[in-house]
């Protein structure tokens, strides 16, 4: 049987109908459909499916997001044209099977023993020989030999003018044609299973049963019935989020314009969520101990759900998909990063928000994430020096603070404790994301708090390093930052510094030093405004808000270049002394003992000055440190009723068998014509055909020549 791209030909009926049936049942049409399905599957793999529209707008832009959305590329596997192509592929392949099955079975039964003697001479594998036995005896001997080798044999006698001739027809490997049927049937079964387990049934209910997507908010119990699917829904696949100690019986089916709610015939109660981590901080196991409560019988069925080990009830499989925060309660301590505002404490729930007032402006604090374990890599790399003055510390500390699996150096992994992620959103809806670690960590020989910030999700976190005080806390830096923002305390620190630095009998020198200290502290605190810098690198803030950049800009504008280095040393020395007195005033105001003038204090002040300078570019008026938390975990299950699963499995088995049969089973046919000779012997002509030309066919033909015709290869 030879392959043909032509389809099924109707013997009667209209020409248009005949052409349509021929096209649908043709191989060229099926291959075209498979090509389109492969392209669509690639798109569905590359482009994340069922994401919020804003995600696609951010990724592709408003114009292309709208074009791709109308084409259904964000829901490829449930869009109408993809389902229609699957349906046409089922029809086309079924017609192809219907067209070829009779031919295959007819060819399966046929030995083609009526082939003419002259036709044997046209085969690539052919041989002739004279046998010292009459044709009938030779035919039976050859037939028995072939039967013993696993061939199916048929003998045919033909009357000739010179006597009785015999044709021996044998075949082997006819299962190759069964592989064709199995492979094509597998395509039909897989497509049918895909249609059953896909979104087709849900779409049909939306088209013909009045169901629609829900895009509002509120409690799940309050969602109207037109947005809910019945527990008897024959096929669905959705997500079910259950918090520890609670239960849920409603799955969420994501749609392009909202969600559908799938009511389950049972409730899933999460008793305990279990997660285990690798040394790198990546989860290696997460599992859920659940209890299934049947609504009809009241049965309580305990089960354990792990990745690749689902639970099943009433034909619905429950898979462990992922885990999430179940509404952990957090307590945050707010510290000012500029204005003279007293620290305050605020509490919230992950996933919730709180309203804040900052003078005339209002902010919304959104609690977005809590991580109780942060395993970081602290391997040393002497070639990477760290500039602690930089606000953007990502590049400088990447080798020490990056995830453990990202580094190629020797790993020194350490759990640095919990961290909190939150957003501050202004009245216009603009939000800045922050990531603060709860505990200090040692970097470059100093214990510091890390406070990360970024304005867009595509940016990396920029970390501000804040040195710990003598109590290993952040309060010392906060007091110094608040005192720097207080004009009265700055003036008092200036007077105290001048009084301590100059002898009392030199009032003129004291006044000059006081003026210099006042200028230095005013520049550093941002009280004395400077024009924006002109030669700032691209992407940096041109506004000089304060800190060391303000001091540097002042010197460049007012001091000749030849005297600039000496003037900067004097001004920075005066600034450091004034800031030290400012720190002492802050401690006095808080009722604490003065800082000793030792190396530890000097190191703290050196790092504090750099952190203070960077804090002017911190994108928020305050920072929030995690003070306490009550961790509540939630498990995300995927619940699925998949009636087509068995059909797909059967199709996969048939596909494996069919492909194996077509690729590894060779169909061979052999004919031996035995004609009588005048001397009583036989003249033998032999030919072999195979569906694939291989070296094995050559070797097999040579072996058959030796066995049957007694001809050496």
């Amino acid at each position: 049987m030879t392959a043909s791209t032509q389809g099924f030909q109707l013997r009667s009926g209209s020409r248009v109908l005949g052409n349509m049936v021929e096209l649908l049942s043709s191989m060229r049409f099926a291959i075209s459909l498979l090509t389109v399905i492969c392209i669509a599957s690639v798109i569905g793999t590359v482009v994340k499916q069922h994401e919020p529209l804003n995600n696609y707008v951010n990724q592709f832009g408003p114009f292309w997001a709208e074009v791709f959305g109308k084409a259904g590329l964000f829901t490829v596997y449930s869009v109408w044209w993809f389902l229609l192509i699957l349906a046409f592929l089922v029809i086309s392949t079924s017609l192809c099977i219907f067209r070829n099955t009779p031919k295959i079975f007819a060819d399966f039964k046929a030995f083609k023993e009526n082939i003419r003697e002259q036709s044997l001479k046209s085969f690539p594998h052919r041989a002739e020989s004279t046998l010292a036995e009459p044709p009938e005896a030779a035919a039976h001997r050859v037939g028995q030999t072939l039967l013993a080798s696993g061939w199916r044999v048929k003998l045919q006698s033909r009357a000739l003018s010179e006597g009785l001739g015999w044709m021996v027809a044998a075949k082997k490997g006819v299962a190759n044609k069964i592989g064709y049927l199995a492979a094509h049937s597998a395509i039909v079964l897989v497509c049918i299973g895909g249609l059953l387990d896909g979104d087709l049934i849900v779409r049909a209910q939306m088209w013909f049963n009045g169901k629609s997507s829900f895009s509002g908010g509120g409690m799940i119990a309050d969602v109207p019935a037109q947005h809910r699917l019945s527990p008897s829904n024959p096929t669905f696949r959705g997500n079910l989020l259950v918090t520890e100690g609670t239960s849920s019986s409603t799955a969420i089916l994501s749609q392009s314009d909202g969600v559908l709610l799938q009511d389950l015939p049972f409730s899933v109660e999460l008793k305990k969520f279990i997660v285990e981590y690798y040394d790198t901080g990546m989860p290696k196991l997460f599992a859920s101990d659940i209890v299934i409560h049947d609504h009809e019988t009241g049965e309580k069925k305990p089960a354990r759900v792990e990745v690749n080990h689902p639970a099943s009830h009433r034909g619905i499989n429950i898979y462990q998909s992922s885990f999430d925060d179940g509404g952990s309660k957090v307590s945050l301590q707010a510290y000012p990063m500029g204005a003279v505002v007293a620290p305050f404490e605020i509490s919230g729930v992950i996933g919730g928000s709180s309203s804040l007032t900052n003078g005339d402006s209002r902010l919304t604090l959104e609690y977005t994430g809590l991580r109780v374990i942060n395993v970081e890599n602290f391997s040393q790399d002497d070639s990477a020096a760290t500039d602690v003055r930089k606000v953007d510390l990502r590049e400088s500390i990447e080798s020490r603070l990056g995830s453990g699996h990202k580094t190629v150096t020797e790993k020194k992994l350490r759990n640095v404790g919990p961290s909190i992620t939150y957003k501050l959103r202004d009245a216009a809806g603009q939000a800045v994301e922050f990531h603060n670690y709860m505990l200090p960590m040692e970097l470059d020989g100093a214990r510091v708090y890390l406070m990360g910030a970024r304005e867009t999700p595509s940016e990396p976190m920029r970390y501000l390093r804040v040195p710990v005080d003598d109590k290993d806390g952040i309060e010392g830096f906060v007091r110094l930052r608040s005192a720097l923002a207080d004009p009265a305390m700055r003036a008092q620190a200036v007077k105290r510094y001048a009084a301590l630095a100059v002898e009392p009998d030199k009032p003129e020198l004291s006044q000059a030093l006081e003026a210099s200290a006042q200028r230095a502290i005013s520049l550093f605190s941002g009280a004395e405004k400077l024009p924006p810098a002109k030669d700032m690198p691209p992407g940096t803030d041109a506004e000089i808000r304060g800190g060391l950049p303000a001091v540097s800009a002042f010197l460049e504008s007012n001091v000749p270049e030849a005297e600039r280095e000496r003037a900067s040393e004097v001004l920075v020395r005066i600034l450091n002394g004034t800031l030290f007195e400012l720190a002492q005033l802050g401690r006095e105001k808080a009722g604490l003992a003065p800082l000793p003038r030792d190396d530890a204090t000097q190191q703290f002040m050196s790092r504090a000055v750099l952190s203070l300078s960077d804090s002017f570019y911190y994108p928020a008026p305050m920072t929030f440190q995690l003070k306490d938390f009550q961790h509540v975990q939630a498990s995300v299950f995927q619940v699925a009723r998949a009636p087509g699963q068995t059909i797909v499995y059967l199709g996969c088995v048939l596909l494996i068998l069919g492909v194996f049969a077509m690729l590894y089973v060779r169909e061979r046919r052999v004919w031996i014509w035995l004609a009588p000779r005048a001397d009583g012997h036989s003249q033998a002509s032999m030919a072999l055909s195979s569906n694939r030309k291989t070296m094995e066919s050559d070797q097999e033909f040579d072996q058959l020549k030796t066995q049957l015709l007694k001809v050496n290869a």
Side-chain angles (χ1 to χ4, degrees):
M1 187 190 72
T2 59
S4 174
T5 60
Q6 297 295 320
F8 188 76
Q9 301 286 344
L10 291 180
R11 300 181 181 275
S12 61
S14 66
R15 182 176 180 181
V16 175
L17 178 61
N19 291 337
M20 290 182 59
V21 171
E22 190 278 330
L23 177 64
L24 285 175
S25 61
S26 65
M27 183 184 298
R28 63 184 187 277
F29 185 70
I31 292 176
S32 300
L33 293 178
L34 281 173
T35 302
V36 176
I37 289 177
C38 290
I39 295 174
S41 300
V42 170
I43 295 174
T45 302
V46 174
V47 179
K48 291 184 178 181
Q49 302 291 289
H50 297 286
E51 291 285 310
L53 181 60
N54 290 338
N55 292 5
Y56 299 119
V57 173
N58 293 335
Q59 184 176 1
F60 302 109
F63 175 77
W64 288 111
E66 183 178 359
V67 172
F68 293 160
K70 289 183 178 179
L73 300 186
F74 304 143
T75 55
V76 168
Y77 303 113
S78 59
V79 73
W80 65 270
W81 54 263
F82 186 84
L83 299 178
L84 185 63
I85 290 174
L86 281 181
F88 270 115
L89 183 60
V90 170
I91 296 173
S92 176
T93 310
S94 300
L95 288 175
C96 187
I97 295 173
F98 177 75
R99 174 172 61 92
N100 289 295
T101 298
K103 299 178 183 179
I104 290 175
F105 277 101
D107 195 61
F108 185 79
K109 296 178 181 179
F111 284 86
K112 299 182 180 181
E113 69 277 7
N114 294 319
I115 190 172
R116 295 182 303 168
E117 176 189 358
Q118 295 298 324
S119 299
L120 300 181
K121 298 180 179 181
S122 62
F123 286 88
H125 294 94
R126 60 184 182 276
E128 294 184 355
S129 178
T130 302
L131 302 179
E133 52 189 329
E136 182 176 0
H140 286 85
R141 178 184 62 79
V142 168
Q144 291 295 328
T145 303
L146 290 173
L147 285 173
S149 300
W151 293 74
R152 297 176 62 188
V153 182
K154 186 174 183 179
L155 303 181
Q156 181 192 55
S157 61
R158 298 179 186 177
L160 303 175
S161 58
E162 61 272 18
L164 193 64
W166 286 81
M167 173 65 75
V168 180
K171 59 183 179 180
K172 195 174 186 180
V174 292
N176 174 271
K177 290 185 172 59
I178 302 299
Y180 174 90
L181 293 179
H184 284 69
S185 300
I187 295 176
V188 174
L189 292 176
V190 170
C191 290
I192 292 176
L195 289 172
L196 290 177
D197 290 350
D199 211 24
L200 181 62
I201 304 299
V202 174
R203 289 284 179 179
Q205 296 185 60
M206 297 177 68
W207 293 334
F208 307 113
N209 202 23
K211 301 298 182 180
S212 61
S213 300
F214 178 73
S215 57
M219 303 293 292
I220 291 181
D222 299 332
V223 176
Q226 65 266 26
H227 308 303
R228 293 178 174 272
L229 300 177
S230 168
S232 59
N233 183 19
T235 175
F236 60 86
R237 187 178 298 271
N239 292 325
L240 183 70
L241 187 144
V242 187
T243 304
E244 282 183 334
T246 66
S247 62
S248 178
S249 61
T250 305
I252 306 297
L253 279 63
S254 297
Q255 303 294 315
S256 58
D257 54 349
V259 297
L260 284 171
L261 303 185
Q262 173 63 60
D263 292 325
L264 303 176
F266 54 83
S267 298
V268 176
E269 178 186 0
L270 179 61
K271 287 294 187 180
K272 185 178 181 181
F273 178 77
I274 304 166
V275 59
E276 298 178 3
Y277 295 91
Y278 290 104
D279 293 338
T280 60
M282 299 295 292
K284 68 176 180 180
L285 168 69
F286 43 94
S288 300
D289 291 333
I290 64 173
V291 176
I292 301 174
H293 300 266
D294 192 284
H295 293 169
E296 182 177 343
T297 63
E299 176 189 4
K300 296 182 180 180
K301 177 182 175 182
R304 183 182 178 93
V305 181
E306 298 181 12
V307 178
N308 299 327
H309 294 85
S312 181
H313 187 70
R314 287 185 173 270
I316 299 176
N317 293 325
I318 305 172
Y319 301 91
Q320 182 69 60
S321 177
S322 62
F323 60 93
D324 204 346
D325 194 286
S328 298
K329 298 178 181 179
V330 294
S331 177
L332 306 181
Q333 183 70 36
Y335 295 108
M337 293 296 288
V340 184
V341 179
F344 62 92
E345 187 175 332
I346 188 170
S347 299
V349 177
I350 298 298
S353 61
S354 300
S355 297
L356 304 173
T357 301
N358 181 33
D360 296 333
S361 63
R362 293 185 177 274
L363 299 174
T364 301
L365 173 62
E366 301 175 359
Y367 312 92
T368 57
L370 171 69
R371 292 192 62 181
V372 297
I373 293 178
N374 289 276
V375 177
E376 307 293 353
N377 179 31
F378 285 81
S379 61
Q380 297 297 322
D381 184 1
D382 297 335
S383 62
T386 302
D387 180 7
V388 295
R389 292 179 54 184
K390 295 176 63 177
V391 178
D392 185 357
L393 301 177
R394 179 181 64 87
E395 294 182 358
S396 59
I397 65 174
E398 185 176 10
S399 62
R400 298 176 176 84
L401 200 59
S403 297
H405 69 283
K406 294 182 180 180
T407 179
V408 296
T409 59
E410 181 183 358
K411 297 182 179 67
K412 294 183 180 179
L413 305 177
R414 187 166 74 242
N415 179 19
V416 297
S419 65
I420 182 72
T421 305
Y422 63 90
K423 291 182 179 180
L424 281 177
R425 192 178 301 275
D426 59 20
Q430 300 296 321
V432 180
E433 186 179 12
F434 299 88
H435 180 221
N436 294 347
Y437 288 88
M438 182 179 184
L439 303 175
M441 60 188 74
E442 187 169 338
L443 293 176
D444 297 328
R447 289 181 60 79
V448 295
Y449 284 90
L450 290 178
M451 303 176 183
R454 63 181 177 185
E455 297 182 357
T456 61
S458 60
E459 295 179 357
M461 282 287 179
R462 299 171 294 150
Y463 285 94
L464 173 67
R465 291 184 177 188
V466 175
V468 299
D469 56 16
D470 54 337
K471 302 296 184 182
D472 204 43
I474 196 176
E475 288 76 10
F477 175 82
V478 173
R479 283 194 301 269
L480 182 56
R481 186 66 182 85
S482 298
L484 183 64
D486 188 345
M489 294 190 70
R490 292 201 304 268
Q492 187 177 355
V494 167
K495 291 183 178 297
R496 178 179 290 190
Y497 170 72
L500 293 175
V502 180
E503 297 178 0
D505 57 347
K506 298 179 180 180
E508 297 83 2
L509 184 58
S510 178
Q511 292 177 1
L513 183 59
E514 186 174 329
S516 298
Q518 184 63 45
R519 169 59 62 87
I521 199 69
S522 296
L523 289 169
F524 189 83
S525 65
E528 182 174 337
K529 299 299 182 181
L530 295 172
K534 297 180 180 180
D535 300 327
M536 296 292 288
T540 58
D541 193 346
E543 180 185 0
I544 300 177
R545 306 176 185 178
L548 294 176
V551 177
S552 176
F554 173 79
L555 291 173
E556 291 178 0
S557 302
N558 297 274
V559 179
E561 186 175 357
E563 302 177 8
R564 197 172 295 166
E565 182 177 356
R566 179 176 177 275
S568 63
E569 292 178 358
V570 174
L571 195 59
V572 169
R573 190 182 306 114
I574 294 174
L575 175 63
N576 289 337
T578 307
L579 289 173
F580 178 76
E581 297 303 328
L582 193 63
Q584 298 288 42
L585 286 173
R587 293 181 65 87
E588 290 178 13
K589 186 177 179 180
L592 300 175
L595 287 171
R597 296 179 180 270
D598 55 12
D599 291 341
T601 300
Q602 184 178 358
Q603 292 178 7
F604 167 76
M605 289 302 304
S606 298
R607 297 186 178 95
V609 169
L610 299 176
S611 298
L612 286 172
S613 179
D614 293 338
S615 68
F616 287 97
Y617 300 91
Y618 193 75
M622 62 192 73
T623 185
F624 293 88
Q625 290 295 115
L626 183 61
K627 184 178 180 181
D628 195 8
F629 62 89
Q630 181 181 349
H631 193 208
V632 179
Q633 298 190 105
S635 189
V636 181
F637 301 104
Q638 185 182 86
V639 290
R641 176 179 279 156
Q645 179 176 319
T646 304
I647 300 176
V648 172
Y649 286 161
L650 177 60
C652 292
V653 172
L654 287 178
L655 183 62
I656 294 172
L657 294 176
V659 170
F660 180 85
M662 290 189 294
L663 293 181
Y664 296 100
V665 177
R666 292 181 300 112
E667 181 187 11
R668 291 96 71 201
R669 291 179 181 269
V670 64
W671 295 271
I672 300 96
W673 168 247
L674 301 169
R677 287 167 51 100
D679 56 2
H681 295 172
S682 301
Q683 182 65 36
S685 298
M686 175 180 171
L688 174 74
S689 71
S690 175
N691 63 331
R692 289 194 305 274
K693 186 177 181 180
T694 63
M695 294 181 61
E696 294 179 355
S697 299
D698 299 337
Q699 295 173 358
E700 187 176 27
F701 182 70
D702 292 338
Q703 184 179 6
L704 288 174
K705 284 194 302 182
T706 304
Q707 291 179 346
L708 304 179
L709 304 185
K710 299 180 180 179
V711 176
N712 295 328

